[in-house]
Amino acid sequence: MARVTIAQVAAAAGVSKASASRALNDHPDVGAATVERVRAAADRLGYVPSASAVRLARGSQRTIGMLVPSLAWPWMLEVLGGIATEAEAQGYALVLQTLLRGDQSLASFVRQVESSAIDGVVAIEPPGGLAELRDLHVRRGFPVVMIDDRVSRPDYPSVATTNERGAYEVAAHLADVGAQRIGVITGPADFTFCAERDRGWRRALAERDLTLREDLVLRTDMSEPEAYQATGELLSRCAGLDTILAVGDMVALGALRMLRDKGVRVPDDVRVAGFDDIPAAALAVPPLTTVRQPMYRMGEAAARLLVDLIGGADPPTGPRIIPTELVIRESSTR
């Protein structure tokens, strides 16, 4: 289907092409009624501004943004490192915006976008999404690349990893070395990666005639303290528990701490596996079997894709996938 043009929007709204362009780019010399009429026509026709047209209208600052919920996530600095490296190589400065102050942080970011201080953004979006970010991208043509969020909000170009395949591989490994009574410590159901990893675990176990007991699948906020408590709950619910699958390495570290406090030997009594391969995973006692999530490479790929979009490239038809890798260490092998 051919892209709807600004000329078609202008004709539908009964204004000149220049007026339509100014209305869609929030120029102050356009009346509110005209802006409303032009935007209504754009919505009706399905008009999406091209990134190159937006760049020409706004001017380029050669600056990209990174929008993240928090820097506390253990792999966040790897993502940031990949983005920063690629941005610098492409001649772009990087502006970091967290959402620690909620709406205030978001309003600050939107002001920077509206003042033409940022040419595009790589985002790790919080659960529930950000209506403002979608408005900037879909209605105004602002270039956005999402990291690891291709299922719940497919409107954005994205860079993702093989969550389901990675979970399948680690669960298959555990089953192949003797797992029978398996507990799972996962995260919120509305987190896309949690759903993908859950599908991977279940598929691998089902293919090996193993079934997860639903009372042994516990949801947490994925913090180490909650994982610690959840591990105690798993031990009380299943006296013969022999395996714990953790949705992330911080969760697995909480499990290891509880098992150590209870005098449970790893991996002799209970095997443990995580996901992410954060630096602490290799330093755990015993070192943690996990799935390496290529966060640095994902950051590089996201920045490279964003720069292409800022330059006017067409959005990709699907996510750019950077594969995971199973890392087997002593926490799962006897």
Side-chain angles (χ1 to χ4, degrees):
M1 181 181 296
R3 180 191 288 269
V4 176
T5 67
I6 188 68
Q8 290 172 304
V9 173
V15 300
S16 69
K17 181 178 173 181
S19 293
S21 178
R22 288 197 297 272
L24 291 173
N25 285 285
D26 298 321
H27 279 254
D29 60 345
V30 182
T34 300
V35 170
E36 184 176 352
R37 192 163 69 250
V38 170
R39 288 192 171 177
D43 288 343
R44 187 169 64 253
L45 295 173
Y47 172 72
V48 178
S50 70
S52 56
V54 172
R55 179 170 54 85
L56 289 171
R58 293 157 52 94
S60 175
Q61 302 300 316
R62 297 197 69 80
T63 299
I64 64 175
M66 181 179 179
L67 182 66
V68 300
S70 168
L71 291 177
W73 297 356
W75 44 259
M76 189 63 73
L77 291 180
E78 288 190 63
V79 179
L80 179 57
I83 294 172
T85 297
E86 184 63 25
E88 184 173 337
Q90 298 276 358
Y92 279 76
L94 179 64
V95 172
L96 175 65
Q97 176 70 62
T98 68
L99 296 173
L100 295 176
R101 295 180 298 130
D103 290 343
Q104 285 180 281
S105 300
L106 182 57
S108 174
F109 169 75
V110 171
R111 283 196 299 271
Q112 291 185 75
V113 172
E114 291 179 339
S115 68
S116 302
I118 298 174
D119 297 315
V121 65
V122 175
I124 298 174
E125 196 173 10
L130 296 171
E132 296 86 349
L133 190 63
R134 188 178 188 281
D135 179 72
L136 288 170
H137 176 63
V138 175
R139 293 187 58 183
R140 306 192 197 185
F142 183 68
V144 175
V145 173
M146 198 68 64
I147 288 185
D148 203 26
D149 201 10
R150 64 194 181 280
V151 175
S152 59
R153 284 172 289 279
D155 294 321
Y156 306 104
S158 64
V159 174
T161 192
T162 50
N163 279 300
E164 184 171 344
R165 191 186 83 180
Y168 177 96
E169 289 177 346
V170 73
H173 158 69
L174 291 168
D176 292 346
V177 296
Q180 292 289 324
R181 292 171 293 279
I182 303 163
V184 170
I185 307 175
T186 186
D190 58 350
F191 279 39
T192 299
F193 68 86
C194 291
E196 292 176 335
R197 293 175 193 179
D198 182 66
R199 287 197 298 270
W201 294 324
R202 290 176 185 273
R203 182 163 58 87
L205 297 177
E207 289 177 4
R208 289 156 178 79
D209 297 322
L210 294 171
T211 302
L212 285 176
R213 279 174 44 184
E214 292 305 320
D215 65 320
L216 299 183
V217 179
L218 304 184
R219 294 199 178 277
T220 69
D221 65 0
M222 299 186 294
S223 68
E224 194 271 354
E226 278 209 10
Y228 179 88
Q229 296 298 328
T231 303
E233 184 66 22
L234 288 175
L235 292 171
S236 68
R237 293 186 184 188
C238 182
L241 186 78
D242 61 34
T243 303
I244 293 177
L245 273 165
V247 73
D249 288 346
M250 290 303 297
V251 172
L253 293 176
L256 288 176
R257 184 163 67 90
M258 172 59 82
L259 294 172
R260 184 169 57 249
D261 288 351
K262 291 288 189 180
V264 178
R265 298 171 301 167
V266 178
D268 300 79
D269 302 321
V270 176
R271 304 172 183 87
V272 179
F275 205 110
D276 293 331
D277 198 27
I278 63 175
L283 303 176
V285 181
L288 184 64
T289 289
T290 187
V291 177
R292 180 171 297 142
Q293 191 169 201
M295 301 310 299
Y296 186 93
R297 290 174 57 204
M298 290 172 72
E300 283 185 312
R304 192 175 306 121
L305 174 56
L306 180 62
V307 170
D308 289 344
L309 294 172
I310 291 170
D314 289 333
T317 56
R320 293 191 176 173
I321 304 296
I322 313 295
T324 55
E325 177 187 352
L326 177 63
V327 179
I328 298 174
R329 299 192 179 105
E330 286 89 331
S331 71
S332 67
T333 55
R334 296 172 180 169

